[in-house]
Amino acid sequence: MNLNTYLKQRQTLVNRALERYLPPPYFAPGRLHEAMRYSVLGEGKRIRPVLALAACEAAGGKASDALHAACALELIHAYSLVHDDLPAMDDDDFRRGKLSCHKKFGEALGILTGDALLTYAFDLLTRANHGASVHLRVIREVAEAIGTEGMVGGQVADITIPRAKLDARAMEFINTRKTGALISGSVRVGALLGRATPTVYSALRRYGDRVGLVFQLVDDLLDKDGAVRLHGKEKVWQRAERLTQEAVAAVRPLGVRAEPLRELARFILTRSS
Ligand code: GRG
């Protein structure tokens, strides 16, 4: 398979769905809807939704089974970026090649845009017709991935642990949660919506855990920060490579259906942005 063609096709599918699902700016409150669309549409690799769709298919489902949830995961990612850019956190003026949300719409609307994206994501997770028990599992999976034991917990550790106290354990805590948890959660959500059997689900979970951590390790390699400062470039790279091999091996028994996941794992390891 050609990963670039696959990625483009999937990104287009997700972008069109996001465009449809996001409330239009001519509905009140227009300025909020404008800010939500501004923060989500446009650039962005759409890694999380693409992983969710690919995991759903690897489990034997159709991509369309996971499209609402895939978009919800991208809204949650966008919320985290909008809030991370706020003056109280990273204080970034630019995001995805344009002004960050709060710089364009003001700080109050920046906060509320993040809130609205997060809330709307859970609304989207209830759409489509998978039966109440599947929806409940998916909602729980997402809430765990992004709550105090996941993304928010990782972000709090990242901003509160003094740099001098950042040892290997603290670094691992941050890396598996801050960004890793939403990525691995995306794979689990796809698996659930593809009605994975318990064996397939645990293979996909193994894959997701590893790919989530690799994503953050590569981020550290690109930024020369975090794990790289602590362990050095060589060690971090070797670990990321080993985890990628394990991720690829975990889904090998799923055969050709999991080929996109194997290619995506290699893409996450070798990405340059
Ligand atoms: C504010 C609750 C809260 C959490 C913030 C995810 C996060 C936690 C902060 C983002 C800060 C950041 C830039 C972390 C590095 C890893 C990361 C999430 C990079 C951006 O993700 P990509 O590469 O971005 O998937 P695109 O733009 O392609 O979607």
Side-chain angles (χ1 to χ4, degrees), residues 10-133:
R10 287 309 155 104
Q11 285 159 345
T12 305
L13 181 71
V14 169
N15 286 337
R16 288 195 180 140
L18 286 167
E19 171 76 45
R20 276 198 314 276
Y21 297 151
L22 279 164
Y26 48 83
F27 279 2
R31 192 74 178 147
L32 176 64
H33 293 161
E34 203 190 314
M36 290 166 78
R37 299 177 74 87
Y38 177 87
S39 305
V40 174
L41 302 174
E43 272 193 43
K45 295 184 289 298
R46 313 300 189 214
I47 290 281
R48 297 149 192 83
V50 171
L51 279 171
L53 299 177
C56 178
E57 289 182 297
K62 298 194 298 293
S64 56
D65 294 332
L67 194 54
H68 282 92
C71 290
L73 294 159
E74 185 65 19
L75 298 191
I76 290 169
H77 170 55
Y79 127 72
S80 78
L81 299 179
V82 168
H83 278 189
D84 190 64
D85 289 340
L86 286 167
M89 289 205 227
D90 253 18
D91 196 8
D92 275 321
D93 291 355
F94 294 94
R95 167 69 60 187
R96 291 172 165 171
K98 56 187 188 182
L99 283 177
S100 49
C101 180
H102 71 278
K103 274 283 157 189
K104 172 122 179 123
F105 294 90
E107 198 176 335
L109 215 61
I111 295 168
L112 292 164
T113 299
D115 295 342
L117 288 171
L118 172 61
T119 310
Y120 188 50
F122 279 91
D123 182 340
L124 272 187
L125 287 176
T126 67
R127 311 252 187 114
N129 210 357
H130 296 292
S133 66

Side-chain angles (χ1 to χ4, degrees), residues 94-271:
F94 294 94
R95 167 69 60 187
R96 291 172 165 171
K98 56 187 188 182
L99 283 177
S100 49
C101 180
H102 71 278
K103 274 283 157 189
K104 172 122 179 123
F105 294 90
E107 198 176 335
L109 215 61
I111 295 168
L112 292 164
T113 299
D115 295 342
L117 288 171
L118 172 61
T119 310
Y120 188 50
F122 279 91
D123 182 340
L124 272 187
L125 287 176
T126 67
R127 311 252 187 114
N129 210 357
H130 296 292
S133 66
V134 173
H135 282 295
L136 275 180
R137 269 198 80 183
V138 166
I139 287 168
R140 184 146 193 218
E141 203 69 69
V142 173
E144 275 180 19
I146 65 175
T148 60
E149 287 180 29
M151 183 174 77
V152 173
Q155 174 79 348
V156 169
D158 193 23
I159 64 177
T160 54
I161 300 175
R163 285 289 169 266
K165 288 207 173 139
L166 260 186
D167 56 12
R169 242 184 78 187
M171 187 57 68
E172 190 76 355
F173 184 95
I174 293 168
N175 282 348
T176 50
R177 286 166 179 78
K178 190 178 93 170
T179 41
L182 182 57
I183 299 222
S184 54
S186 300
V187 174
R188 291 198 301 278
V189 164
L192 288 171
L193 293 172
R195 309 294 173 102
T197 61
T199 317
V200 170
Y201 180 81
S202 62
L204 289 169
R205 194 180 54 197
R206 258 180 84 73
Y207 168 92
D209 287 348
R210 279 151 188 77
V211 165
L213 183 51
V214 170
F215 186 92
Q216 184 56 53
L217 293 177
V218 170
D219 218 73
D220 288 352
L221 283 162
L222 293 171
D223 287 354
K224 300 184 182 62
D225 196 13
V228 171
R229 243 196 266 185
L230 198 66
H231 302 295
K233 197 171 148 197
E234 207 49 42
K235 273 214 167 105
V236 174
W237 176 250
Q238 280 169 7
R239 182 162 185 228
E241 274 188 318
R242 196 177 59 246
L243 287 165
T244 303
Q245 282 165 10
E246 287 173 14
V248 168
V251 292
R252 199 162 283 131
L254 308 190
V256 68
R257 280 205 311 239
E259 201 185 340
L261 285 179
R262 293 191 286 274
E263 290 295 324
L264 286 165
R266 296 184 190 109
F267 169 75
I268 286 169
L269 176 71
T270 54
R271 74 197 169 94

